Amino acid sequence: MPSLRRFLALAASAAVFAACGRPPEPEPKTPDEQPQEQTDPCAPNGHIHREPTGDWCHCNRGHMASEQGLSCVPDPDYVPREDFDFGDNGEHACWHVTNGPFATVTAAVDRLPRVDSFHTHYTVKLRPEGGQYVGTFNFKAYATGDFIAYLSDANVPMAFREGSAVLDVAATSPIPEALRDGVCQGGLVHMVGYELTDKVQYTVTFGPTPLPELGLVIEHLP
């Protein structure tokens, strides 16, 4: 009898297990239910900036932020520029070569010094790399419009970047000889023009160059 009772108990357990079966497999999600990668609402004519004060669209040239929602729309008042106005051709920037204010910044691997104080003559010290010198620095425009970087050497490679994107150079020009050798005392010799946007964090890179340091002034044209 004990054997019979044991057999009946095992049989009952097997029946219960068969009735329960395996837990049901989850149904595959439909395409609408799949997690979607977040897209940029400002694309393709710009990109979004997400900041604590609110999101905003940084629109490409010829476009403007829409007044309704986050998007970039054509700017009806945009006129393609044919040239870049270098203003006083560096006379004011050259004044800072003698009169300051002065600042020295040194490139490093683990930090990015700032070079965005207006009306300031920077001595930019680069770091050695691969037998030459390079450096990356932070720059915030604090205004929208035309900016000029005045350099002590025309051959030093320089680039403004927003993230990994390299900005187009609007124009380049030597500082006129009379100013270069006069008020500038040879301290600045070359001008590079850019169109920058307020609130955007840029980086400025120099090199590779055989020069361990250079003079720099960056000004916003009114």
Side-chain angles (χ1 to χ4, degrees), residues 99-175:
N99 298 281
F102 303 102
T104 299
V105 291
T106 302
V109 176
D110 58 344
R111 61 185 182 87
L112 301 180
R114 309 197 68 86
V115 290
D116 48 18
S117 293
F118 293 158
H119 307 296
T120 299
H121 181 274
Y122 284 98
T123 297
V124 178
K125 294 183 178 292
L126 305 178
R127 60 181 181 82
E129 181 178 278
Q132 297 203 73
Y133 294 90
V134 299
T136 302
F137 304 86
N138 274 326
F139 184 91
K140 201 162 189 178
Y142 300 110
T144 294
D146 293 343
F147 286 74
I148 301 176
Y150 303 90
L151 302 169
S152 61
D153 189 281
N155 298 313
V156 175
M158 182 188 73
F160 267 82
R161 286 180 167 83
E162 183 185 348
S164 60
V166 178
L167 273 62
D168 293 333
V169 174
T172 63
S173 177
I175 291 177

